[in-house]
Coordinates of all heavy atoms in Angstrom, one line a residue:
M61 N 5.7 -14.4 -26.2 CA 4.9 -13.2 -26.1 C 5.8 -12.1 -26.7 O 7.0 -12.0 -26.5 CB 4.6 -12.9 -24.7 CG 3.7 -11.7 -24.5 SD 3.3 -11.2 -22.8 CE 2.9 -12.7 -22.0
S62 N 5.2 -11.2 -27.5 CA 5.9 -10.1 -28.1 C 6.3 -9.1 -27.1 O 5.8 -9.0 -26.0 CB 5.1 -9.5 -29.2 OG 4.0 -8.8 -28.7
S63 N 7.3 -8.3 -27.5 CA 7.8 -7.2 -26.7 C 6.7 -6.2 -26.3 O 6.6 -5.7 -25.2 CB 8.9 -6.5 -27.3 OG 9.4 -5.4 -26.6
R64 N 5.8 -5.9 -27.3 CA 4.7 -4.9 -27.1 C 3.7 -5.5 -26.1 O 3.2 -4.8 -25.3 CB 4.1 -4.6 -28.5 CG 3.0 -3.6 -28.3 CD 2.5 -3.1 -29.7 NE 1.3 -2.3 -29.7 CZ 1.2 -1.1 -29.3 NH1 2.2 -0.4 -28.8 NH2 0.0 -0.5 -29.3
A65 N 3.4 -6.7 -26.3 CA 2.4 -7.3 -25.4 C 2.9 -7.4 -24.0 O 2.2 -7.2 -23.0 CB 2.0 -8.7 -25.9
S66 N 4.2 -7.7 -23.8 CA 4.8 -7.8 -22.5 C 4.8 -6.4 -21.9 O 4.6 -6.3 -20.7 CB 6.3 -8.3 -22.7 OG 6.9 -8.2 -21.4
T67 N 5.1 -5.4 -22.7 CA 5.1 -4.0 -22.1 C 3.7 -3.6 -21.7 O 3.5 -3.0 -20.6 CB 5.6 -3.0 -23.2 OG1 6.9 -3.4 -23.6 CG2 5.7 -1.6 -22.7
L68 N 2.7 -4.0 -22.4 CA 1.3 -3.6 -22.1 C 0.9 -4.4 -20.8 O 0.2 -3.8 -19.9 CB 0.4 -4.0 -23.2 CG 0.4 -3.0 -24.4 CD1 -0.5 -3.5 -25.5 CD2 0.1 -1.6 -24.0
W69 N 1.3 -5.6 -20.7 CA 1.0 -6.4 -19.4 C 1.6 -5.8 -18.2 O 1.1 -5.6 -17.1 CB 1.3 -7.8 -19.6 CG 0.3 -8.7 -20.2 CD1 0.3 -9.2 -21.4 CD2 -1.0 -9.0 -19.6 NE1 -0.9 -9.9 -21.6 CE2 -1.7 -9.8 -20.5 CE3 -1.6 -8.8 -18.3 CZ2 -2.9 -10.3 -20.2 CZ3 -2.8 -9.3 -18.1 CH2 -3.5 -10.1 -19.0
T70 N 2.9 -5.4 -18.4 CA 3.6 -4.8 -17.3 C 3.0 -3.4 -16.9 O 2.8 -3.2 -15.7 CB 5.1 -4.5 -17.7 OG1 5.7 -5.7 -18.1 CG2 5.9 -3.9 -16.6
F71 N 2.6 -2.7 -17.9 CA 1.9 -1.4 -17.6 C 0.6 -1.6 -16.9 O 0.2 -0.9 -15.9 CB 1.7 -0.6 -18.9 CG 1.0 0.7 -18.7 CD1 1.6 1.8 -18.1 CD2 -0.3 0.8 -19.1 CE1 0.9 3.0 -17.9 CE2 -1.0 2.0 -18.9 CZ -0.4 3.1 -18.3
A72 N -0.2 -2.6 -17.3 CA -1.5 -2.9 -16.7 C -1.3 -3.3 -15.3 O -2.1 -2.9 -14.4 CB -2.2 -3.9 -17.5
I73 N -0.4 -4.2 -15.0 CA -0.2 -4.7 -13.6 C 0.3 -3.6 -12.7 O -0.2 -3.5 -11.6 CB 0.8 -5.9 -13.7 CG1 0.1 -7.1 -14.3 CG2 1.2 -6.3 -12.3 CD1 1.0 -8.3 -14.6
T74 N 1.2 -2.8 -13.2 CA 1.7 -1.7 -12.4 C 0.6 -0.7 -12.1 O 0.5 -0.1 -11.0 CB 2.9 -1.0 -13.1 OG1 3.9 -2.0 -13.5 CG2 3.5 0.1 -12.3
S75 N -0.3 -0.5 -13.1 CA -1.4 0.5 -12.9 C -2.4 0.0 -11.8 O -2.8 0.7 -11.0 CB -2.1 0.7 -14.2 OG -1.3 1.3 -15.2
V76 N -2.6 -1.3 -11.9 CA -3.5 -1.9 -10.9 C -2.9 -1.8 -9.5 O -3.6 -1.5 -8.5 CB -3.9 -3.4 -11.2 CG1 -4.6 -4.1 -10.1 CG2 -4.7 -3.4 -12.5
A77 N -1.6 -2.1 -9.4 CA -0.9 -2.0 -8.1 C -1.0 -0.6 -7.5 O -1.2 -0.3 -6.4 CB 0.5 -2.5 -8.2
L78 N -0.7 0.4 -8.4 CA -0.8 1.8 -8.0 C -2.2 2.2 -7.5 O -2.4 2.9 -6.5 CB -0.3 2.7 -9.1 CG -0.3 4.2 -8.8 CD1 0.6 4.5 -7.7 CD2 0.0 5.0 -10.0
F79 N -3.2 1.7 -8.2 CA -4.6 2.0 -7.8 C -4.9 1.4 -6.5 O -5.5 2.0 -5.6 CB -5.5 1.4 -8.9 CG -7.0 1.4 -8.5 CD1 -7.6 2.7 -8.5 CD2 -7.6 0.3 -8.0 CE1 -9.0 2.7 -8.1 CE2 -9.0 0.4 -7.6 CZ -9.6 1.6 -7.7
M80 N -4.4 0.2 -6.2 CA -4.6 -0.4 -4.9 C -3.9 0.3 -3.7 O -4.5 0.5 -2.7 CB -4.1 -1.9 -4.9 CG -4.9 -2.8 -5.8 SD -6.7 -2.8 -5.4 CE -6.7 -3.6 -3.8
V81 N -2.7 0.8 -4.0 CA -2.0 1.6 -3.0 C -2.8 2.9 -2.7 O -2.9 3.4 -1.6 CB -0.6 1.9 -3.4 CG1 0.1 2.9 -2.5 CG2 0.2 0.6 -3.4
T82 N -3.2 3.6 -3.8 CA -4.0 4.8 -3.7 C -5.3 4.6 -2.9 O -5.7 5.4 -2.0 CB -4.3 5.4 -5.1 OG1 -3.0 5.6 -5.7 CG2 -5.0 6.7 -4.9
L83 N -6.0 3.5 -3.2 CA -7.2 3.1 -2.5 C -7.0 2.9 -1.0 O -7.7 3.3 -0.2 CB -7.8 1.9 -3.2 CG -9.2 1.5 -2.8 CD1 -10.2 2.6 -3.1 CD2 -9.6 0.2 -3.4
D84 N -5.9 2.2 -0.7 CA -5.5 1.9 0.6 C -5.2 3.2 1.4 O -5.7 3.4 2.6 CB -4.3 1.0 0.7 CG -4.1 0.3 2.0 OD1 -5.1 -0.1 2.5 OD2 -3.0 0.2 2.4
N85 N -4.6 4.2 0.8 CA -4.3 5.5 1.4 C -5.6 6.2 1.6 O -5.8 7.0 2.5 CB -3.4 6.3 0.6 CG -2.0 6.5 1.3 OD1 -1.9 6.2 2.5 ND2 -1.1 6.9 0.5
L86 N -6.6 6.1 0.6 CA -7.9 6.8 0.7 C -8.6 6.3 1.9 O -9.3 7.1 2.6 CB -8.6 6.5 -0.6 CG -10.0 7.2 -0.7 CD1 -9.8 8.7 -0.7 CD2 -10.7 6.7 -1.9
V87 N -8.5 5.0 2.3 CA -9.2 4.5 3.5 C -8.7 5.2 4.7 O -9.6 5.6 5.6 CB -9.0 3.0 3.6 CG1 -9.5 2.5 4.9 CG2 -9.7 2.3 2.4
V88 N -7.4 5.4 4.9 CA -6.9 6.1 6.0 C -7.4 7.6 6.0 O -7.8 8.1 7.1 CB -5.4 6.0 6.1 CG1 -4.8 6.9 7.2 CG2 -4.9 4.6 6.2
T89 N -7.3 8.2 4.9 CA -7.7 9.6 4.8 C -9.2 9.8 5.1 O -9.6 10.7 5.8 CB -7.4 10.1 3.4 OG1 -6.0 9.9 3.1 CG2 -7.7 11.6 3.2
T90 N -10.0 8.8 4.7 CA -11.4 8.9 5.0 C -11.7 8.7 6.5 O -12.7 9.3 7.0 CB -12.2 7.8 4.2 OG1 -11.9 8.0 2.8 CG2 -13.7 7.9 4.4
A91 N -10.9 8.0 7.2 CA -11.1 7.7 8.6 C -10.6 8.9 9.5 O -10.8 8.9 10.7 CB -10.4 6.4 9.0
L92 N -9.9 9.8 8.9 CA -9.3 10.9 9.7 C -10.3 11.7 10.6 O -10.1 12.0 11.7 CB -8.5 11.8 8.9 CG -7.1 11.3 8.4 CD1 -6.4 12.3 7.5 CD2 -6.3 10.9 9.6
P93 N -11.5 12.1 10.0 CA -12.4 12.8 10.9 C -12.9 12.0 12.1 O -13.1 12.5 13.2 CB -13.6 13.1 10.0 CG -13.0 13.1 8.6 CD -11.9 12.0 8.6
V94 N -13.1 10.7 11.9 CA -13.5 9.8 13.0 C -12.4 9.7 14.0 O -12.6 9.7 15.3 CB -13.9 8.4 12.5 CG1 -14.3 7.5 13.6 CG2 -15.1 8.6 11.6
I95 N -11.1 9.5 13.5 CA -10.0 9.5 14.4 C -9.9 10.8 15.2 O -9.6 10.7 16.5 CB -8.7 9.2 13.6 CG1 -8.7 7.8 13.0 CG2 -7.5 9.4 14.5 CD1 -7.6 7.6 12.0
R96 N -10.0 11.9 14.6 CA -9.9 13.2 15.3 C -11.0 13.3 16.3 O -10.7 13.8 17.5 CB -10.0 14.3 14.2 CG -9.8 15.7 14.9 CD -9.8 16.8 13.9 NE -9.5 18.0 14.5 CZ -9.2 19.1 13.9 NH1 -9.3 19.2 12.6 NH2 -8.9 20.2 14.5
R97 N -12.2 12.9 16.0 CA -13.3 13.1 16.9 C -13.2 12.1 18.1 O -13.3 12.6 19.3 CB -14.7 12.9 16.2 CG -15.9 13.1 17.0 CD -17.2 13.1 16.2 NE -17.3 11.9 15.4 CZ -17.2 11.9 14.1 NH1 -17.0 13.0 13.4 NH2 -17.3 10.8 13.4
N98 N -12.9 10.9 17.9 CA -12.9 9.9 19.0 C -11.6 10.0 19.8 O -11.7 9.7 21.0 CB -13.0 8.5 18.4 CG -14.4 8.2 17.8 OD1 -15.3 8.9 18.1 ND2 -14.5 7.2 17.0
L99 N -10.5 10.3 19.2 CA -9.3 10.4 20.0 C -8.9 11.8 20.4 O -7.8 12.0 21.0 CB -8.1 9.7 19.2 CG -8.3 8.3 18.9 CD1 -7.2 7.7 18.0 CD2 -8.5 7.4 20.1
H100 N -9.7 12.8 20.0 CA -9.4 14.2 20.2 C -8.0 14.6 19.7 O -7.2 15.2 20.5 CB -9.6 14.5 21.7 CG -10.9 14.1 22.3 ND1 -12.1 14.6 22.0 CD2 -11.2 13.1 23.2 CE1 -13.0 14.0 22.6 NE2 -12.5 13.1 23.3
A101 N -7.7 14.2 18.5 CA -6.4 14.4 17.9 C -6.3 15.8 17.3 O -7.3 16.3 16.7 CB -6.1 13.4 16.9
S102 N -5.1 16.4 17.4 CA -4.9 17.7 16.7 C -4.5 17.4 15.3 O -4.3 16.3 14.8 CB -3.7 18.4 17.4 OG -2.5 17.7 17.3
L103 N -4.4 18.5 14.5 CA -4.0 18.4 13.1 C -2.6 17.8 13.0 O -2.3 16.9 12.1 CB -4.1 19.7 12.4 CG -3.8 19.8 10.9 CD1 -4.8 18.9 10.2 CD2 -3.9 21.2 10.4
T104 N -1.7 18.2 13.8 CA -0.3 17.6 13.8 C -0.3 16.1 14.1 O 0.4 15.3 13.4 CB 0.5 18.3 14.9 OG1 0.5 19.7 14.7 CG2 2.0 17.8 14.8
Q105 N -1.1 15.7 15.0 CA -1.2 14.2 15.3 C -1.8 13.5 14.1 O -1.4 12.3 13.8 CB -2.0 14.0 16.6 CG -1.3 14.5 17.8 CD -2.2 14.5 19.0 OE1 -3.4 14.7 18.9 NE2 -1.6 14.3 20.2
L106 N -2.8 14.1 13.4 CA -3.4 13.4 12.3 C -2.3 13.3 11.1 O -2.3 12.3 10.4 CB -4.6 14.2 11.8 CG -5.8 14.1 12.7 CD1 -6.9 15.0 12.1 CD2 -6.3 12.7 12.9
E107 N -1.5 14.3 11.0 CA -0.4 14.3 10.0 C 0.5 13.1 10.3 O 1.0 12.4 9.4 CB 0.3 15.6 9.9 CG -0.4 16.7 9.3 CD 0.3 18.0 9.4 OE1 1.5 18.1 9.8 OE2 -0.3 19.0 8.9
W108 N 0.9 13.0 11.6 CA 1.7 11.9 12.0 C 1.1 10.5 11.7 O 1.8 9.6 11.3 CB 2.1 12.0 13.5 CG 3.2 12.9 13.8 CD1 3.2 14.2 14.2 CD2 4.6 12.5 13.7 NE1 4.5 14.6 14.3 CE2 5.4 13.6 14.0 CE3 5.3 11.3 13.3 CZ2 6.8 13.6 14.0 CZ3 6.7 11.3 13.3 CH2 7.4 12.4 13.7
T109 N -0.2 10.5 11.9 CA -0.9 9.2 11.6 C -0.8 8.8 10.2 O -0.5 7.7 9.8 CB -2.4 9.4 12.0 OG1 -2.5 9.7 13.4 CG2 -3.2 8.1 11.8
V110 N -1.1 9.8 9.3 CA -1.0 9.5 7.8 C 0.4 9.1 7.4 O 0.7 8.2 6.7 CB -1.6 10.7 7.0 CG1 -1.3 10.5 5.5 CG2 -3.0 10.8 7.3
N111 N 1.4 9.9 7.9 CA 2.8 9.7 7.5 C 3.3 8.3 8.1 O 4.0 7.6 7.4 CB 3.7 10.8 8.0 CG 3.4 12.1 7.3 OD1 3.0 12.1 6.1 ND2 3.7 13.2 7.9
A112 N 2.9 8.0 9.3 CA 3.3 6.7 9.9 C 2.7 5.5 9.1 O 3.4 4.5 8.8 CB 3.0 6.6 11.3
Y113 N 1.5 5.7 8.7 CA 0.8 4.6 8.0 C 1.5 4.4 6.6 O 1.8 3.3 6.2 CB -0.7 4.9 7.8 CG -1.4 3.8 7.0 CD1 -1.8 2.7 7.6 CD2 -1.7 4.0 5.7 CE1 -2.4 1.7 6.9 CE2 -2.3 3.0 5.0 CZ -2.7 1.8 5.6 OH -3.3 0.9 4.9
T114 N 1.7 5.5 5.9 CA 2.3 5.5 4.6 C 3.7 4.9 4.7 O 4.1 4.1 3.8 CB 2.3 6.9 4.0 OG1 1.0 7.4 3.9 CG2 2.8 6.8 2.5
L115 N 4.5 5.3 5.6 CA 5.9 4.8 5.8 C 5.9 3.4 6.1 O 6.7 2.6 5.5 CB 6.6 5.6 6.9 CG 8.1 5.3 7.1 CD1 8.9 5.6 5.8 CD2 8.6 6.1 8.2
T116 N 5.1 2.9 7.0 CA 5.0 1.5 7.4 C 4.6 0.7 6.2 O 5.1 -0.4 5.9 CB 4.0 1.3 8.5 OG1 4.4 2.1 9.6 CG2 3.9 -0.1 8.9
F117 N 3.6 1.1 5.4 CA 3.1 0.4 4.2 C 4.3 0.3 3.2 O 4.5 -0.8 2.7 CB 1.9 1.2 3.6 CG 1.3 0.4 2.5 CD1 0.4 -0.6 2.8 CD2 1.5 0.8 1.2 CE1 -0.2 -1.3 1.7 CE2 0.9 0.1 0.1 CZ 0.1 -0.9 0.4
A118 N 5.0 1.4 3.0 CA 6.1 1.4 2.0 C 7.2 0.4 2.4 O 7.7 -0.4 1.6 CB 6.6 2.8 1.8
V119 N 7.6 0.4 3.7 CA 8.6 -0.5 4.2 C 8.2 -1.9 4.1 O 9.0 -2.8 3.6 CB 9.0 -0.1 5.7 CG1 9.8 -1.2 6.3 CG2 9.7 1.2 5.7
L120 N 7.0 -2.2 4.5 CA 6.5 -3.6 4.3 C 6.4 -4.1 2.9 O 6.7 -5.2 2.5 CB 5.2 -3.8 5.1 CG 5.3 -3.7 6.6 CD1 3.9 -3.8 7.2 CD2 6.2 -4.8 7.2
L121 N 6.0 -3.1 2.0 CA 6.0 -3.4 0.6 C 7.3 -3.8 0.0 O 7.5 -4.8 -0.7 CB 5.3 -2.3 -0.2 CG 4.9 -2.5 -1.6 CD1 3.8 -3.5 -1.7 CD2 4.4 -1.2 -2.2
L122 N 8.3 -3.0 0.4 CA 9.7 -3.2 -0.1 C 10.3 -4.5 0.5 O 11.0 -5.3 -0.2 CB 10.6 -2.0 0.2 CG 10.3 -0.8 -0.6 CD1 11.1 0.4 -0.1 CD2 10.6 -1.0 -2.1
T123 N 10.0 -4.7 1.8 CA 10.5 -6.0 2.4 C 9.8 -7.2 1.8 O 10.5 -8.2 1.5 CB 10.1 -5.9 3.9 OG1 10.7 -4.8 4.5 CG2 10.7 -7.2 4.6
G124 N 8.5 -7.1 1.5 CA 7.9 -8.2 0.8 C 8.4 -8.5 -0.6 O 8.6 -9.6 -1.0
A125 N 8.7 -7.4 -1.3 CA 9.3 -7.6 -2.6 C 10.7 -8.2 -2.6 O 11.0 -9.1 -3.4 CB 9.3 -6.2 -3.3
A126 N 11.5 -7.8 -1.6 CA 12.8 -8.3 -1.5 C 12.8 -9.8 -1.1 O 13.5 -10.7 -1.6 CB 13.6 -7.6 -0.5
L127 N 11.9 -10.2 -0.2 CA 11.7 -11.6 0.2 C 11.2 -12.4 -0.9 O 11.5 -13.5 -1.1 CB 10.8 -11.7 1.4 CG 11.4 -11.2 2.8 CD1 10.4 -11.2 3.9 CD2 12.6 -12.1 3.1
G128 N 10.3 -11.8 -1.7 CA 9.8 -12.5 -2.9 C 10.9 -12.8 -3.9 O 10.9 -13.9 -4.5
D129 N 11.8 -11.9 -4.1 CA 12.9 -12.1 -5.0 C 13.8 -13.2 -4.4 O 14.4 -14.0 -5.2 CB 13.8 -10.8 -5.2 CG 13.1 -9.8 -6.0 OD1 12.1 -10.2 -6.8 OD2 13.5 -8.6 -6.0
R130 N 14.0 -13.3 -3.1 CA 14.9 -14.3 -2.5 C 14.3 -15.6 -2.3 O 14.9 -16.7 -2.6 CB 15.5 -13.8 -1.2 CG 16.4 -12.6 -1.3 CD 17.0 -12.2 0.0 NE 18.0 -11.1 -0.2 CZ 17.7 -9.9 -0.1 NH1 16.4 -9.5 0.2 NH2 18.6 -8.9 -0.2
L131 N 13.1 -15.7 -1.9 CA 12.4 -16.9 -1.5 C 11.4 -17.4 -2.5 O 11.0 -18.6 -2.4 CB 11.7 -16.8 -0.1 CG 12.6 -16.3 1.0 CD1 11.7 -16.1 2.3 CD2 13.7 -17.3 1.3
G132 N 11.0 -16.6 -3.4 CA 10.0 -17.0 -4.4 C 8.7 -16.2 -4.3 O 8.2 -16.1 -3.1
R133 N 8.2 -15.7 -5.3 CA 7.0 -14.9 -5.3 C 5.8 -15.7 -4.9 O 4.9 -15.3 -4.2 CB 6.8 -14.2 -6.6 CG 7.8 -13.1 -6.9 CD 7.7 -12.5 -8.2 NE 8.7 -11.5 -8.4 CZ 9.8 -11.7 -9.0 NH1 10.1 -12.9 -9.4 NH2 10.7 -10.7 -9.2
R134 N 5.7 -16.9 -5.4 CA 4.6 -17.8 -5.1 C 4.5 -18.1 -3.6 O 3.4 -18.1 -3.0 CB 4.7 -19.1 -5.9 CG 3.4 -20.0 -5.7 CD 3.5 -21.1 -6.6 NE 3.2 -20.6 -8.0 CZ 3.4 -21.3 -9.1 NH1 3.8 -22.5 -9.0 NH2 3.2 -20.8 -10.3
L135 N 5.7 -18.4 -3.0 CA 5.7 -18.7 -1.6 C 5.3 -17.5 -0.7 O 4.5 -17.6 0.2 CB 7.1 -19.2 -1.1 CG 7.3 -19.3 0.4 CD1 6.5 -20.5 0.9 CD2 8.8 -19.6 0.6
M136 N 5.8 -16.3 -1.1 CA 5.5 -15.1 -0.4 C 4.0 -14.7 -0.5 O 3.4 -14.2 0.4 CB 6.4 -13.9 -0.9 CG 7.8 -14.0 -0.4 SD 8.0 -14.3 1.4 CE 7.2 -12.9 2.0
F137 N 3.5 -15.0 -1.7 CA 2.0 -14.8 -1.9 C 1.2 -15.7 -1.0 O 0.3 -15.2 -0.3 CB 1.7 -15.0 -3.4 CG 0.2 -14.7 -3.7 CD1 -0.3 -13.4 -3.7 CD2 -0.7 -15.7 -4.0 CE1 -1.6 -13.1 -3.9 CE2 -2.0 -15.5 -4.2 CZ -2.4 -14.2 -4.2
A138 N 1.6 -16.9 -0.9 CA 0.9 -17.9 0.0 C 1.0 -17.5 1.5 O 0.1 -17.5 2.2 CB 1.5 -19.3 -0.2
V139 N 2.2 -17.0 1.8 CA 2.4 -16.5 3.2 C 1.6 -15.3 3.5 O 0.9 -15.2 4.6 CB 3.9 -16.2 3.5 CG1 4.1 -15.5 4.8 CG2 4.7 -17.5 3.5
G140 N 1.5 -14.4 2.5 CA 0.7 -13.2 2.7 C -0.8 -13.6 2.8 O -1.5 -13.0 3.6
L141 N -1.3 -14.5 2.1 CA -2.6 -15.0 2.2 C -2.9 -15.6 3.6 O -4.0 -15.4 4.2 CB -3.0 -15.9 1.1 CG -3.2 -15.3 -0.3 CD1 -3.5 -16.4 -1.3 CD2 -4.3 -14.3 -0.3
A142 N -1.9 -16.4 4.0 CA -2.1 -17.1 5.3 C -2.1 -16.1 6.5 O -2.9 -16.3 7.4 CB -1.0 -18.1 5.5
V143 N -1.3 -15.0 6.4 CA -1.3 -14.0 7.4 C -2.6 -13.3 7.4 O -3.2 -13.0 8.4 CB -0.1 -13.1 7.3 CG1 -0.2 -11.9 8.2 CG2 1.2 -13.9 7.5

């Protein structure tokens, strides 16, 4: 594979991953009015909810990437599907 094709594939895969992370955050943001209404949450509590979700997601993403480097990406993908 040429260097240019490899660069394009890397860009495409990274773009799809960023889109998925953004979409995942959008789900939490969309649920905020329902969370506020059902749990009678204040604005500060809603901020904590979004920040806690984003931080947890980032930590698990980095942990999964590190384990994928050590144990193998295919194995980690299979474990992720099983979970």
